């Protein structure tokens, strides 16, 4: 299972790549806002970071960038996607999973611009992303859990449908909030998990590890000769 970082902050991207070897990045308008930079500055900075780290390439280190969420027709979405995509070959264009968005994503994939169909909350939406051969589909599991829904059953359904139908679209479990969700996604053989840096770091932290180290330090110190 690959790990993407869900962030537009360069320091977080740099740390996650250099310390933990993440495989890509996902952003959204909220992450761009949290970076404290205007949209174009934020994405150009990420493009430059990609270059500096010799990660340029369509298949190397995908960076998902979302189009202006106010756009409500396929023609405008396609135009904006083309502009964003021209900035960096690693960019994958995030398109909302609605009627106009799916029309736009289909056209973009046909012209070789990769898409990430986002804001997906039902298996039937995920099916459409697979049918149009989107590069990625992003079901938001954290938002489902917050709404009291069962993210495991939801992702199991999507994953089964994709296997049965042979869709090549890669599934990104998005808005992942806990280590438990990460392990469930791995168990379900989901392709990719995307989460924030704090969630990623929390997922390999356990209070018993700290507790155990305390016990071992104590024993070490009491051992004769140390
Ligand atoms: C995924 O691609 C989205 O950017 C993300 O997971 C959205 O959720 P969040 O910002 O609530 O984590």
């Amino acid at each position: 299972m690959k790990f993407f970082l869900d962030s537009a902050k360069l320091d977080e991207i740099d740390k996650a790549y250099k310390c933990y070897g993440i495989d890509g990045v996902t952003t959204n308008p909220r992450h761009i806002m949290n970076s404290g930079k205007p949209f174009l500055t934020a994405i150009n900075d990420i493009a430059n970071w990609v270059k500096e780290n010799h990660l340029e390439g369509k298949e190397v280190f995908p960076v998902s960038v979302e189009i202006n969420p106010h756009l409500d027709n396929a023609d405008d979405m396609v135009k904006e996607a083309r502009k964003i995509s021209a900035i960096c070959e690693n960019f994958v264009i995030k398109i909302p999973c609605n009627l106009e968005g799916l029309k736009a994503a289909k056209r973009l994939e046909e012209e070789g611009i990769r898409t990430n169909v986002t804001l997906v909350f039902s298996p039937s939406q995920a099916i459409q992303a697979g049918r149009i051969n989107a590069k990625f589909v992003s079901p938001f599991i954290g938002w489902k859990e917050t709404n009291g829904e069962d993210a495991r059953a939801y992702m199991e359904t999507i994953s089964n449908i994709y296997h049965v139908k042979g869709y090549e679209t890669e599934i990104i479990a998005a808005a992942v909030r806990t280590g438990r969700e990460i392990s469930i996604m791995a168990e379900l053989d989901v392709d990719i998990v995307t989460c924030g840096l704090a969630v990623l770091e929390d997922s390999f932290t356990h209070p018993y590890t700290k507790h155990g180290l305390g016990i071992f330090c104590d024993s070490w110190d009491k051992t004769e000769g140390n």
Side-chain angles (χ1 to χ4, degrees):
M1 185 167 73
K2 290 184 214 160
F3 280 81
F4 288 176
L5 188 76
D6 209 14
S7 174
K9 291 182 182 167
L10 272 193
D11 57 339
E12 292 189 352
I13 295 170
D14 197 61
K15 180 181 183 194
Y17 176 67
K18 290 178 182 156
C19 300
Y20 312 129
I22 49 150
D23 307 287
V25 164
T26 50
T27 69
N28 65 30
R30 186 156 63 179
H31 297 321
I32 300 282
M33 176 188 77
N34 290 340
S35 76
K37 300 172 189 171
F39 175 73
L40 277 178
T41 310
I43 65 169
N44 272 300
D45 284 356
I46 297 175
N48 288 334
W49 179 90
V50 163
K51 259 189 220 155
E52 281 159 24
N53 286 280
H54 312 292
L55 289 168
E56 292 152 291
K58 242 185 158 179
E59 297 304 329
V60 187
F61 188 89
V63 176
S64 290
V65 177
E66 195 150 343
I67 53 165
N68 177 344
H70 291 287
L71 296 178
D72 60 2
N73 72 80
D75 288 341
D76 291 344
M77 290 176 177
V78 168
K79 267 187 226 152
E80 164 129 328
R82 285 183 187 139
K83 276 190 212 153
I84 296 171
S85 160
I87 294 173
C88 174
E89 60 182 323
N90 298 55
F91 285 176
V92 177
I93 310 302
K94 267 176 134 178
I95 304 277
C97 192
N98 54 25
L99 298 183
E100 292 300 311
L102 285 166
K103 261 199 260 177
K106 181 173 181 296
R107 278 166 54 188
L108 289 165
E109 289 289 347
E110 283 166 0
E111 59 182 76
I113 295 178
R114 299 169 313 159
T115 60
N116 175 348
V117 175
T118 189
L119 288 165
V120 168
F121 294 97
S122 72
S124 56
Q125 285 182 301
I127 288 171
Q128 296 312 315
R131 284 188 61 246
I132 62 161
N133 210 16
K135 173 71 181 161
F136 299 114
V137 61
S138 290
F140 279 29
I141 65 167
W143 294 24
K144 298 280 271 187
E145 291 273 332
T146 304
N147 197 40
E149 297 175 54
D150 181 354
R152 182 195 186 104
Y154 170 56
M155 290 302 280
E156 194 164 16
T157 305
I158 294 175
S159 185
N160 286 341
I161 293 170
Y162 269 48
H163 280 113
V164 170
K165 294 296 174 198
Y167 297 142
E168 286 180 9
T169 300
E170 289 177 66
I171 303 172
I172 305 180
V176 167
R177 304 279 188 249
T178 65
R180 185 169 172 274
E181 287 172 357
I182 292 174
S183 69
I184 291 171
M185 294 309 120
E187 205 184 322
L188 295 177
D189 201 20
V190 166
D191 303 298
I192 302 152
V193 154
T194 191
C195 61
L197 185 60
V199 174
L200 181 65
E201 290 184 332
D202 267 2
S203 75
F204 39 78
T205 304
H206 196 287
Y208 272 28
T209 308
K210 192 175 175 199
H211 178 68
L213 270 177
I215 294 172
F216 293 162
C217 282
D218 192 44
S219 304
W220 183 273
D221 294 345
K222 287 179 181 155
T223 300
E224 204 181 332
N226 282 351

